[in-house]
Amino acid sequence: MITMNDIIREGHPTLRKVAEEVSFPLSDADRELGEKMTEFLKNSQDPELAEKYQLRGGVGLAAPQLDVSKRMIAIEIPNMEEEDGEPFLSTVMYNPKILSHSVQQAAIEEGEGCLSVDRHVPGLVVRNAKITISYFDQEGEKHKLRLKHYPAIVIQHELDHLNGIMFYDHINKQNPNYAADDVLLIQ
Ligand SMILES: CNC(=O)c1cccc(C)c1Nc1nc(N2CCN(c3ccccc3Cl)CC2)nc(N2CSC[C@H]2C(=O)NC)n1
């Protein structure tokens, strides 16, 4: 199973590389890696397993964070309403791509965290509020998805990892908590 030891931290060059597209049919390695990434996110959200294996909670993980410079991300966003219900979004995306996005921007009011960043970096990370993405699943089927607000932010954070971008690259240097009046602040 993937643990925090497998996650590379800021300063590691792979986090600043542009990752390579994945080819289909998937190799066994790429298929298995996707499954392990999902397993990590689920474990990280389970209080007992997170405690037992000292995992930081995450809802997204990109292959470059495991020192694998490939365009694949795992997303595991729990359903905020009912406990133990179906997750809001649980999938591994291969060769994900933003097709279009809103003019409207949004940011998580509390800022963003990253499993590859062992420090609290305060500030608003302003992103597109709504995005339309395409991606391929494990079977090579192409999907198109429209997302908004928190899920859209999570996907953009993970997509940034595929292009060597860290969340704090977006934070306003002069005033980290600056966001224009029309930026939607997400709880
Ligand atoms: C500095 N302030 C903050 O971090 C911050 C502070 C407050 C609120 C938010 C909302 C913040 N922000 C933030 N919180 C998260 N989690 C909340 C806890 N959760 C989780 C943890 C444990 C079990 C189950 C779960 Cl569900 C996991 C996800 N995740 C991200 N990000 C940025 S986009 C990718 C995503 C990611 O997975 N990061 C590892 N940001």
Side-chain angles (χ1 to χ4, degrees):
M1 65 178 275
I2 291 174
T3 64
M4 295 307 294
N5 294 337
D6 301 304
I7 295 176
I8 60 174
R9 307 301 153 88
E10 54 181 332
H12 190 302
T14 302
L15 286 174
R16 289 303 189 181
K17 281 186 194 160
V18 175
E20 294 292 317
E21 293 229 321
V22 173
S23 51
F24 285 90
L26 286 184
S27 67
D28 290 346
D30 290 348
R31 177 185 303 277
E32 182 166 337
L33 180 62
E35 290 164 354
K36 285 187 176 305
M37 288 165 69
T38 294
E39 180 196 42
F40 171 85
L41 292 173
K42 288 182 189 291
N43 292 346
S44 81
Q45 295 175 21
D46 177 307
E48 280 167 34
L49 292 173
E51 169 64 29
K52 181 175 180 185
Y53 296 107
Q54 292 297 290
L55 308 178
R56 273 186 60 194
V59 290
L61 186 64
Q65 294 181 274
L66 300 166
D67 199 13
V68 175
S69 197
K70 290 187 176 182
R71 303 187 80 80
M72 51 189 282
I73 62 177
I75 304 295
E76 193 70 30
I77 300 175
N79 194 314
M80 301 305 168
E81 277 75 47
E82 80 239 39
E83 277 297 304
D84 295 345
E86 280 300 293
F88 173 83
L89 183 60
S90 171
T91 184
V92 180
M93 299 182 174
Y94 294 90
N95 302 334
K97 198 169 159 187
I98 292 183
L99 300 177
S100 63
H101 61 79
S102 59
V103 170
Q104 168 81 49
Q105 296 183 300
I108 296 175
E109 193 159 18
E110 302 278 334
E112 293 190 10
C114 181
L115 298 171
S116 295
V117 179
D118 293 330
R119 59 196 169 105
H120 177 256
V121 182
L124 293 174
V125 181
V126 179
R127 298 184 184 277
N128 302 310
K130 298 177 183 174
I131 57 173
T132 300
I133 61 166
S134 68
Y135 67 90
F136 293 88
D137 65 20
Q138 262 189 4
E139 278 66 47
E141 290 297 309
K142 190 167 187 177
H143 296 257
K144 200 165 143 182
L145 203 49
R146 288 169 57 79
L147 294 165
K148 68 179 179 182
H149 305 164
Y150 185 65
I153 287 171
V154 171
I155 295 278
Q156 291 172 83
H157 176 113
E158 302 312 329
L159 276 174
D160 271 353
H161 279 306
L162 304 184
N163 297 319
I165 299 165
M166 300 294 282
F167 73 89
Y168 45 72
D169 297 344
H170 298 287
I171 295 175
N172 185 302
K173 307 264 181 308
Q174 282 65 39
N175 174 0
N177 282 315
Y178 172 75
D181 293 348
D182 57 0
V183 173
L184 192 65
L185 296 182
I186 309 279
Q187 306 303 329

